[in-house]
Amino acid sequence: MSPDRVENATLQRLAPHLVARPRRGVVGSSRQAKQLREAIRTAAADRERHAVLVFGEPGLEKDNLAALIHFGSVDRHRLMLRIDGSRMRSDGADLFGTASQSEDPPLLQLLGDGSLLVDNLDQVPEPARQALLDLARTGAWRSVGSTDPPHRFQGRLFFTAETTQTPFDGCCSVIRVPPLRVRRQDLGEWLRYGVRQRSRSLGWEPAPEVPMAVVKQLQTHDFPNNLRELDALIDRAIQQVRHQENHQNNTRTRRGPKQLPEDVFWTSPRQEHARFDLWRWKPQLRDWMRSPRLWNGLLFGLVSWVFVLVNLWLWQGPQDRAHNGALNLFWAWWWPLILIGFPLVGRLWCSFCPFMVWGTITQRLAQRLGWQPLAWPRGDHDRWASRWLSAGFALILIWEAVWDLPNTAWLSSSLLLLITAGAVIGSLRFEKRFWCRYLCPIGGMNGLFAKLSILELRAQAGICSGNCSSYACFKGGPAEGEGLATEGCPLGTHPAHLRDNRNCVLCLSCAQACPHRSVRLAIRPPAADLQREMVTPEGEPSLLLILVGSIALGHWQRLWQWSGLAPASLSEGPLLPRLAVASATLALPALMFWLGRTVVSRIRLERCLYGLLPLFWALLLAHHLPLGMSEAGLLLPVSLSPWLGGAALSLPHWQAQPAVIGFCQSGVVALGAIWSLVILRRMFSHRRSVWIGASSLMVTLAICGRWLVNGSG
């Protein structure tokens, strides 16, 4: 055979195993990353060319680290071959050759003085494993079945494995690769590095930024498949962004988005237990709940017109609650019922909220007239929007107390129309429901207390990542398979990205659009969203403090009766003193929180706030129960009293006794206290002293809160 043919045959045998260069370096500035880089430098500078064993969990690119050592050493100009140990023959003939095939030089002989990387050493069959151990110890090897004197290997050996390999430890330099979950500090750098690499291949200049909120969110994930899983996550995020760009008819070819949106980064959630899939139990329930006819009839055929009639009733009817049934519906029915509904159905109210129904109607009418709202704005809008939301809710509460909205019909209607105006403006400005997600005060409260719900709507990340490429569930699109044509998630969120119920209004748009049956509606343990590793949304603790302040504001006389400075009434008298008292009372919980930060860290204090969320919900319900239990049953007499006068009281009605109301208030507060005790235990079980302190605070707040809401609300 000619020398050229021999050389070509040799190259053909070596080509499948050649390592051309390292894929990337070690990214990160954590202590573990620095130690790993130093270990690689030390191994690369080893003049004795000792064998190296690199071990660590799956997905850590251990073969790449071995390549970094080789190409960082004086051997960089020599060959490096990689052999997959899991595919080696049991006798190792694919590496050492056999005596019967002496005319074909073994792979190890062809390598010469280059480097050999045996990947997955822990999966090498035992006979071949023993031959590799002898090679590492002595540098000698024989072809299988050969009795000739052993050959001497002049190159360098590298091994990778998922666990330490005891027989090899004594003859190898050992490098342990720490998993990604113990170097979470490096996650932001890994994300930005991966996005830069993929952006360069797409021609995106400059590369999009990765929001800090994304880094914080992903730092709560353990990444069991480490860098392999992180790479898949980045690829999926970039793919989703490209789909969105195409969907918005973006013609840019050399410039990607300025910032990657938070909702394109989603991981497989932690293994959830104690979930009961309602749609798997009753498949026909899924078909019925996905029906567009049901939702269109409910939203546009009923809710929209009931809302119009209620506002006409508030403006044209009597102005006090004793004679206006619409006021009775708003204050005696709606408030208690929506609070009772949070632990049961979460944010369901938002799915048929009349504010957004009219926002959607306005948006569709404007589009028919040629108006095109802007595309859904991506980015971390909670950072600024949460302040406006909290401030808006605080102003509404002060307006309610100082101008006596519960007993003034036209002002109550003005509040409803003001929130509707915000929804309409938001719908004209942006597609979908920007107002609902970021700025609506009622939506903010609903999203907060929805974390307590026993109901959750989620997509199965494995099905989404393995089967879906249209992402119609959150961006909208035409019908596909059993998936229906929809406008996508109204809050612009992928259902597999959800980590809690905050941004899910249970509108079922994702279930309608999904052709793969990935979305499921399940019953779960109460308050399953409140976990030790939960991520606190920007600004949400401020809203929670304002809601707690609303309880104090509803019973301001009890808090101010000792001072002698308070006005006789918040709805009568000079305006400035009334505004001052209302504002100071509402700000009292925030002031206590600020003082607490001088003793306890902000993060721990915020986590304690979420542990107390069931208690705060219970106190808010106990505050609204007296009005509901004493007046909700009077709806019929109150509604007809303008025509029947005193005779309306002969109509069927119901009214609870004060003792019954007080008993229900005590029961609700006790339930909230026990529930909070369970949540605090879940959050601080690893710190007994903190749990005891938080539990003591909870008991104190429960006792004080029950005293505060005693009697009528």
Side-chain angles (χ1 to χ4, degrees), residues 290 332 359 510 531:
R290 291 175 72 238
C510 55
Q531 302 289 339

Side-chain angles (χ1 to χ4, degrees), residues 667-683:
V668 167
V669 174
L671 173 64
I674 295 171
W675 196 358
S676 279
L677 193 65
V678 174
I679 303 301
L680 289 170
R681 176 65 178 171
R682 179 192 301 167
M683 289 187 164

Side-chain angles (χ1 to χ4, degrees), residues 113-233:
D113 58 357
S115 295
L116 173 67
L117 166 60
V118 180
D119 209 5
N120 300 315
L121 176 64
D122 44 345
Q123 299 179 41
V124 173
E126 186 53 41
R129 182 185 175 88
Q130 184 59 46
L132 288 173
L133 180 59
D134 293 338
L135 179 66
R137 284 174 173 170
T138 66
W141 60 276
R142 281 193 180 96
S143 297
V144 178
S146 174
T147 57
D148 294 336
H151 300 276
R152 297 294 302 179
F153 178 55
Q154 301 299 324
R156 191 173 189 183
L157 288 172
F158 294 93
F159 303 104
T160 70
E162 292 185 3
T163 59
T164 183
Q165 303 297 304
T166 304
F168 287 81
D169 291 349
C171 56
C172 296
S173 300
V174 179
I175 298 177
R176 180 183 179 275
V177 188
L180 202 54
R181 66 176 177 276
V182 304
R183 38 180 174 144
R184 299 178 196 267
Q185 177 185 337
D186 297 333
L187 190 58
E189 294 171 78
W190 273 109
L191 279 167
R192 296 180 186 98
Y193 173 84
V195 169
R196 283 197 304 271
Q197 295 296 101
R198 287 152 183 81
S199 298
R200 188 176 296 120
S201 65
L202 294 173
W204 287 356
E205 299 175 3
E209 298 176 2
V210 179
M212 197 60 204
V214 169
V215 179
K216 291 181 178 178
Q217 168 202 325
L218 294 179
Q219 282 175 336
T220 65
H221 183 62
D222 285 340
F223 286 96
N225 286 313
N226 293 290
L227 297 177
R228 187 186 304 134
E229 182 177 350
L230 182 61
D231 283 342
L233 180 144

Side-chain angles (χ1 to χ4, degrees), residues 597-618:
R597 287 183 56 181
T598 62
V599 181
V600 183
S601 70
R602 179 183 62 85
I603 294 177
R604 188 173 295 174
L605 205 56
E606 286 182 353
R607 190 167 296 172
C608 183
L609 269 182
Y610 281 96
L612 296 172
L613 186 61
L615 175 63
F616 294 149
W617 163 81

Side-chain angles (χ1 to χ4, degrees), residues 240 432 459 464 468 470-477 486-490 492-496 508-515 519:
Q240 287 183 238
K432 303 188 180 185
C464 295
C468 184
S470 65
Y471 307 107
C473 57
F474 83 101
K475 72 179 183 64
T486 70
E487 296 176 357
C489 175
T493 302
H494 196 296
L508 303 185
S509 293
C510 55
Q512 291 175 335
C514 180
V519 182

